[in-house]
Amino acid sequence: MNNIKPTIEVCFSPALLHLYNTAGAIVVIIDVFRATSTIAAALHNGAHSVIPVASVDECIQLGLQDSNHITAGERDGKIAEGLSYGNSPLDFPPSFIQGKTLVLTTTNGTRLLHMVQNAAAIITGSFLNLDAVCQFLLNSQRRVLLACASWKDRFNLEDSLFAGAVIDMLKGSFETNCDSARAATHLFHASHGNYLSFLTDSSHYLRLSGFGLKRDLEYCTTPNLHPVVPILKGRALLPLQESALF
Amino acid sequence: MNNIKPTIEVCFSPALLHLYNTAGAIVVIIDVFRATSTIAAALHNGAHSVIPVASVDECIQLGLQDSNHITAGERDGKIAEGLSYGNSPLDFPPSFIQGKTLVLTTTNGTRLLHMVQNAAAIITGSFLNLDAVCQFLLNSQRRVLLACASWKDRFNLEDSLFAGAVIDMLKGSFETNCDSARAATHLFHASHGNYLSFLTDSSHYLRLSGFGLKRDLEYCTTPNLHPVVPILKGRALLPLQESALF
């Protein structure tokens, strides 16, 4: 029997991703405000898949290819010109998104997702699917990198807080010798599980609440509303089927 | 009267330095284990200056130029081949270092120091000169960037903890909208001021204590043993004279 525990590490910014060995690891892309929250909501609400794309133009082009494609994305808190919907997790209820493919353009999360090389699997995480992500990581028993999308490469508080929540749930089952993971755990403990109030003075909260998105922010910090594991297959994120585990 | 407070930000890694505007700012280079601790100790103990250099070869060359030059530096916890001393702050008591120039090669801290562009001033900070650095920043009333040397570009706990200690001392006098600064402050609070015990599970503590350097680590986490502000003039760090303040 093999008693060596897999390792877990945290990368605080896409600009630091090259320091980590993603080959053979499970990489969890984290963009709490709001890409990976919206991805969890859309897939749990019945979307067929989510295609993350980097640019508005690419989003528009993919939208034109198939009438089942919904284009969505924001720039500076408003629906981007040429797209149909914003990137709020509240924009995609089951009555609307069931069976559709969401083509979503975001800046930070999408770029990071496309940067990851040779991972065993790429999934997305947010408070909305916290327990589902942790259960998947526990089941997989592989090395894990929690990769924070950050904000234009700058460290952010919400993604690192989420990383800390994951590490706390996985403690005992994974090893770590990573100061980013230790710091994320300290942030998690400092929050006392009150994610929203912990984040109310963060840069991203201040920016997005200034756009009138407080309801979104409250939603994005509510754990486990959307228990799904979005996993990248080709260019699309699909809801993981339990039978599809390693 | 101008009531606008200067801002303070924290950069967690040299690989993120390009995200910050250092022009006109005071940049505090932080390499707690152990470059900036050793610099504080040497200058406070009477060294004429400290010249930080990136390579062992450069260190050797500078050592040959002047009999008053002391060459020092470690690689993997041992005195580097061709140099005379290690980079422990305990290696440079007044009886030895008085009036000498210390040519010090370190990897992380030196590289970061050389990367900073157009700053109003570059100083070095560590727990050994915590209060002196904070007093200088308070007196200067300029924008501040606390720049962590990290470990081979990876976030580390000791430099970010020190950044949090500085921010806590300066609160009320500076503004910040920087999540790295917020996270550093949370780390500082989590430490309850017990820096050494907070750091005993950090990567760098584990690595250096494995080299038998526990006494160094304890020394480097003791506040204010060496109240001096090392400031870069040309290629050398000199102890700031009070009359030389802005």
Side-chain angles (χ1 to χ4, degrees):
Chain A
M1 213 175 127
N2 184 354
N3 285 317
I4 296 172
K5 295 174 185 171
T7 60
I8 188 161
E9 294 180 299
V10 177
C11 174
F12 280 148
S13 162
L16 303 176
L17 185 66
H18 63 283
L19 302 171
Y20 298 84
N21 175 17
T22 55
I26 298 178
V27 179
V28 184
I29 307 290
I30 304 165
D31 190 359
V32 165
F33 294 152
R34 295 168 288 155
T36 58
S37 297
T38 298
I39 289 163
L43 289 180
H44 183 245
N45 286 341
H48 170 266
S49 59
V50 177
I51 304 177
V53 296
S55 75
V56 172
D57 279 352
E58 196 180 352
C59 198
I60 292 170
Q61 291 306 315
L62 273 175
L64 294 171
Q65 287 176 16
D66 190 324
S67 62
N68 201 42
H69 284 180
I70 303 291
T71 60
E74 294 179 13
R75 294 297 183 264
D76 296 328
K78 295 194 181 71
I79 297 173
E81 204 178 325
L83 305 184
S84 303
Y85 297 87
N87 62 6
S88 165
L90 297 164
D91 281 357
F92 308 103
S95 57
F96 169 58
I97 200 67
Q98 183 82 38
K100 300 238 173 45
T101 290
L102 179 63
V103 187
L104 181 68
T105 175
T106 69
T107 40
N108 302 296
T110 301
R111 189 173 134 252
L112 177 57
L113 188 142
H114 290 152
M115 285 168 71
V116 175
Q117 302 286 322
N118 303 319
I122 298 175
I123 67 172
T124 67
S126 69
F127 290 108
L128 296 178
N129 63 343
L130 170 62
D131 285 2
V133 163
C134 290
Q135 194 56 57
F136 174 73
L137 298 177
L138 279 170
N139 291 346
S140 69
Q141 282 295 306
R142 286 184 185 235
R143 197 157 50 83
V144 172
L145 178 66
L146 304 176
C148 301
S150 81
W151 173 247
K152 296 183 179 176
D153 283 344
R154 281 205 191 201
F155 172 92
N156 80 27
L157 213 53
E158 66 274 16
D159 295 342
S160 47
L161 176 66
F162 175 78
V166 171
I167 292 165
D168 189 71
M169 285 192 72
L170 299 182
K171 65 174 181 262
S173 301
F174 286 78
E175 294 288 348
T176 195
N177 182 17
C178 167
D179 277 5
S180 304
R182 294 180 182 102
T185 306
H186 284 297
L187 295 179
F188 171 73
H189 288 145
S191 78
H192 302 291
N194 301 316
Y195 306 130
L196 185 66
S197 62
F198 183 76
L199 294 170
T200 48
D201 79 337
S202 71
S203 297
H204 225 149
Y205 182 95
L206 295 170
R207 179 174 173 274
L208 292 172
S209 63
F211 295 142
L213 294 170
K214 278 193 181 173
R215 196 166 151 239
D216 272 34
L217 299 168
E218 187 178 344
Y219 195 83
C220 291
T221 49
T222 308
N224 302 318
L225 293 177
H226 294 295
V228 65
V229 178
I231 187 163
L232 194 68
K233 300 282 180 191
R235 67 176 182 178
L237 290 154
L238 299 164
L240 181 82
Q241 309 300 319
E242 284 192 28
S243 60
L245 278 174
F246 301 101
Chain B
M1 213 174 128
N2 184 356
N3 285 317
I4 297 172
K5 294 173 186 171
T7 60
I8 188 161
E9 294 181 300
V10 177
C11 174
F12 280 149
S13 163
L16 303 176
L17 185 67
H18 63 283
L19 302 170
Y20 298 84
N21 175 18
T22 54
I26 297 178
V27 179
V28 184
I29 306 292
I30 304 165
D31 190 358
V32 164
F33 292 154
R34 293 168 290 155
T36 58
S37 297
T38 299
I39 290 164
L43 288 180
H44 183 245
N45 285 341
H48 170 268
S49 59
V50 177
I51 303 176
V53 297
S55 75
V56 173
D57 279 350
E58 197 181 352
C59 199
I60 293 170
Q61 291 308 314
L62 273 175
L64 294 172
Q65 286 177 16
D66 190 325
S67 63
N68 201 42
H69 283 180
I70 303 291
T71 61
E74 294 180 14
R75 294 297 183 263
D76 297 325
K78 295 194 179 74
I79 297 173
E81 204 177 324
L83 305 185
S84 305
Y85 297 87
N87 61 7
S88 163
L90 297 165
D91 281 356
F92 308 103
S95 57
F96 169 58
I97 201 65
Q98 183 83 34
K100 301 238 173 45
T101 290
L102 179 63
V103 186
L104 182 68
T105 174
T106 69
T107 40
N108 302 294
T110 301
R111 190 174 133 250
L112 177 58
L113 187 141
H114 290 153
M115 286 168 70
V116 175
Q117 302 286 323
N118 302 317
I122 298 176
I123 66 173
T124 68
S126 70
F127 289 108
L128 296 179
N129 62 343
L130 171 62
D131 285 1
V133 163
C134 289
Q135 194 56 55
F136 174 73
L137 298 176
L138 279 170
N139 291 347
S140 70
Q141 283 294 306
R142 287 185 184 233
R143 197 157 49 82
V144 172
L145 178 65
L146 304 176
C148 300
S150 80
W151 174 248
K152 295 182 179 176
D153 283 344
R154 282 205 188 201
F155 172 92
N156 80 27
L157 214 52
E158 67 275 16
D159 294 343
S160 47
L161 175 66
F162 174 77
V166 171
I167 292 164
D168 189 71
M169 284 194 73
L170 299 182
K171 65 174 182 263
S173 302
F174 286 78
E175 295 287 349
T176 195
N177 183 18
C178 166
D179 276 6
S180 303
R182 293 180 181 104
T185 306
H186 285 297
L187 295 178
F188 170 73
H189 289 144
S191 78
H192 303 291
N194 300 318
Y195 306 131
L196 184 66
S197 61
F198 183 77
L199 294 171
T200 48
D201 79 337
S202 71
S203 298
H204 225 148
Y205 182 94
L206 295 171
R207 179 174 173 275
L208 292 172
S209 62
F211 295 142
L213 295 169
K214 277 193 180 170
R215 194 165 154 241
D216 272 34
L217 300 167
E218 187 178 343
Y219 195 82
C220 290
T221 49
T222 308
N224 302 317
L225 293 177
H226 294 295
V228 65
V229 178
I231 187 163
L232 193 69
K233 300 285 180 189
R235 67 176 183 177
L237 290 154
L238 299 165
L240 181 80
Q241 308 301 318
E242 285 193 28
S243 59
L245 278 174
F246 298 104

